């Protein structure tokens, strides 16, 4: 995305739950931002200097069925106690805070030509689902939605989804209802339903397993992973290039972002370990590769000859890339 960033500003902030806050982000020059497609997300650049951080957030979009486009982008951020990006945003984003944003990126397209759509959201993974539910409703298409979270008070946008979806929405509070029965849920769907799921990796993996056990074709489960690139216990390491250059990859950033900041030519698209465009040959690593992509097969991952630099890291101190 380098080169296309826009100067932006936080226009408004409100609390959605104890840990989730919503931010409306507009252009710094006051011109309207384009209406986001459902399923799209945006890269936020903020912090500056040594604390330069980049994070991806889904664009939630308008919260009602009314047709007026929003001239800003609405995102919702869950504060992770040890998450550098979300903690920084919660602590410092106020109306007037300056940041930079990428154009919208859509790697999680809503399949609009299917007989039936099933939306599944886990926790903060609800954010792209609000826009999808609204889009399906506005087109009068068949869909249903399962929204799982600890309990209602910890779940964002419940009221809005109830009014957007009516009885198509099932709220699943895990404190009360336990783990959702995904095989049962998929078994109950009309033939050729396509599922879109967003949430923690465990939910996505469980859904993919359930679909595979029922013989669903892989394309019938579309998913988006949250925060594949960042974990609270990440640590710094160094990337070395054939030219001899050494580039520090801080715990709050990715190899791709560190290389971009250092002016190294890179290729990328999804920036979340799904498309394979950023795959880079590994010449050496003094620890283990920590592969966080969803692109490689199990054998390729085990071979460890390449790495998805947009999201994967290492457990050691130095990684030598053939770039
Ligand atoms: S940019 Fe898509 S896998 Fe890395």
């Amino acid at each position: 995305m380098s080169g296309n960033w826009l100067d932006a500003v936080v226009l408004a902030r409100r609390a959605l739950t104890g840990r989730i806050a919503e931010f409306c982000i507009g252009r710094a020059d006051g011109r309207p931002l384009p209406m986001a497609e459902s399923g799209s997300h945006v890269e936020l650049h903020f912090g500056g200097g040594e604390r330069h951080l980049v994070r991806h957030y889904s664009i939630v979009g308008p919260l009602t069925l009314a047709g007026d486009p929003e001239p800003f982008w609405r995102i919702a951020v869950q504060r992770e106690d040890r998450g550098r990006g979300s903690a920084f945003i919660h602590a410092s984003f106020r109306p007037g805070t300056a940041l930079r944003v990428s154009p919208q990126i859509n790697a999680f397209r809503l399949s609009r030509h299917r007989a039936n759509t099933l939306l599944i959201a886990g926790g903060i993974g609800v954010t792209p689902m609000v826009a999808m539910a609204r889009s399906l409703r506005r087109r009068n298409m068949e869909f249903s939605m399962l929204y799982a979270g600890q309990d209602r008070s910890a779940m964002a946008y419940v009221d809005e989804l109830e009014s957007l979806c009516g009885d198509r929405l099932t709220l699943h509070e895990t404190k009360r209802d336990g783990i959702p029965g995904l095989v049962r849920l998929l078994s109950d769907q009309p033939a050729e339903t396509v599922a879109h799921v967003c949430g923690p990796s465990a939910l996505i993996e469980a859904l993919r397993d359930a679909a595979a056990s029922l013989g669903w074709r892989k394309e019938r489960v579309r998913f988006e992973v949250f925060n594949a690139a960042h974990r609270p216990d990440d640590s710094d390491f160094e990337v070395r290039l054939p030219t001899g250059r050494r580039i520090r990859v801080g715990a709050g950033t990715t190899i791709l972002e560190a290389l971009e900041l250092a002016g190294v030519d890179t290729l990328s698209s999804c920036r979340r370990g799904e498309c394979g465009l950023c795959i880079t040959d590994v010449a050496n690593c003094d620890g283990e590769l920590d592969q966080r992509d969803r692109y490689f097969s199990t054998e390729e991952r085990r071979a460890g000859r390449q790495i998805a630099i947009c999201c994967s890291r290492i457990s050691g101190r130095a990684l030598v890339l053939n770039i």
Side-chain angles (χ1 to χ4, degrees):
M1 279 295 118
S2 49
N4 286 328
W5 302 332
L6 289 172
D7 289 321
V9 66
V10 176
L11 301 174
R13 165 184 182 144
R14 71 177 173 126
L16 299 180
T17 72
R19 282 175 63 207
I20 302 175
E22 179 190 84
F23 300 89
C24 294
I25 294 175
R27 283 179 62 133
D29 61 11
R31 290 164 58 196
L33 281 166
M35 179 79 175
E37 279 178 43
S38 55
S40 56
H41 66 274
V42 61
E43 251 181 42
L44 263 50
H45 294 244
F46 53 95
E50 274 290 290
R51 304 181 73 183
H52 180 91
L53 295 165
V54 183
R55 291 292 184 273
H56 291 235
Y57 293 101
S58 293
I59 303 175
V60 177
L63 301 177
T64 66
L65 279 179
D68 298 339
E70 289 185 341
F72 52 82
W73 288 339
R74 182 192 303 273
I75 62 168
V77 179
Q78 176 163 286
R79 189 185 66 245
E80 307 297 345
D81 290 337
R82 294 169 62 205
R84 295 168 182 83
S86 62
F88 186 94
I89 288 174
H90 273 254
S92 60
F93 276 25
R94 299 278 177 278
T97 301
L99 67 152
R100 304 185 83 201
V101 295
S102 70
Q104 59 174 304
I105 303 162
N106 200 342
F108 188 39
R109 287 186 191 282
L110 179 61
S111 161
R112 292 213 184 93
H113 305 291
R114 304 293 172 173
N116 187 58
T117 301
L118 171 65
L119 305 178
I120 302 176
I124 190 63
V126 73
T127 50
M129 297 303 173
V130 176
M132 286 189 176
R134 181 175 180 273
S135 173
L136 290 162
R137 250 327 285 286
R138 281 175 60 85
R139 287 171 175 74
N140 274 326
M141 296 187 67
E142 293 297 322
F143 77 100
S144 60
M145 177 168 177
L146 174 78
Y147 179 12
Q150 268 194 342
D151 61 38
R152 189 180 173 117
S153 69
M155 296 163 74
Y157 299 123
V158 174
D159 293 347
E160 289 86 349
L161 281 166
E162 283 178 341
S163 101
L164 277 176
C165 303
D167 60 8
R168 297 174 182 85
L169 177 70
T170 303
L171 272 195
H172 187 101
E173 298 178 57
T174 52
K175 266 192 186 164
R176 183 193 65 195
D177 307 328
I179 303 289
L182 297 176
V183 172
R184 175 77 190 274
L185 175 70
L186 295 188
S187 312
D188 289 346
Q189 298 302 310
E192 292 306 305
T193 293
V194 172
H196 292 69
V197 55
C198 184
S201 319
L203 172 67
I204 293 169
E205 289 312 315
L207 187 77
R208 295 173 81 197
D209 287 349
S213 75
L214 294 170
W216 282 37
R217 295 186 318 283
K218 267 174 122 180
E219 316 81 78
R220 290 178 60 199
V221 177
R222 301 188 177 190
F223 59 91
E224 185 162 68
V225 189
F226 262 70
N227 280 333
H230 298 287
R231 291 185 192 149
D233 49 0
D234 287 341
S235 47
D236 298 1
F237 59 95
E238 187 176 84
V239 164
R240 298 181 187 162
L241 306 184
T243 55
R245 261 189 99 180
R246 296 171 172 224
I247 295 157
R248 180 179 158 271
V249 181
T253 190
T254 62
I255 301 172
L256 176 65
E257 289 157 9
L259 293 177
E260 284 176 345
L261 270 178
V264 178
D265 274 346
T266 51
L267 282 177
S268 64
S269 175
C270 72
R271 304 174 77 95
R272 47 182 60 202
E274 289 159 19
C275 73
L277 204 59
C278 71
I279 299 301
T280 303
D281 290 342
V282 171
N284 197 15
C285 174
D286 71 355
E288 297 288 318
L289 298 185
D290 180 355
Q291 308 260 28
R292 300 181 182 182
D293 65 276
R294 275 162 201 273
Y295 176 78
F296 288 129
S297 66
T298 312
E299 292 85 70
E300 287 168 331
R301 195 164 290 128
R302 206 173 290 134
R305 284 194 273 277
Q306 295 184 304
I307 186 167
I309 58 172
C310 66
C311 60
S312 295
R313 309 181 68 83
I314 62 167
S315 61
R317 305 299 310 156
L319 170 69
V320 188
L321 291 178
N322 269 333
I323 203 166

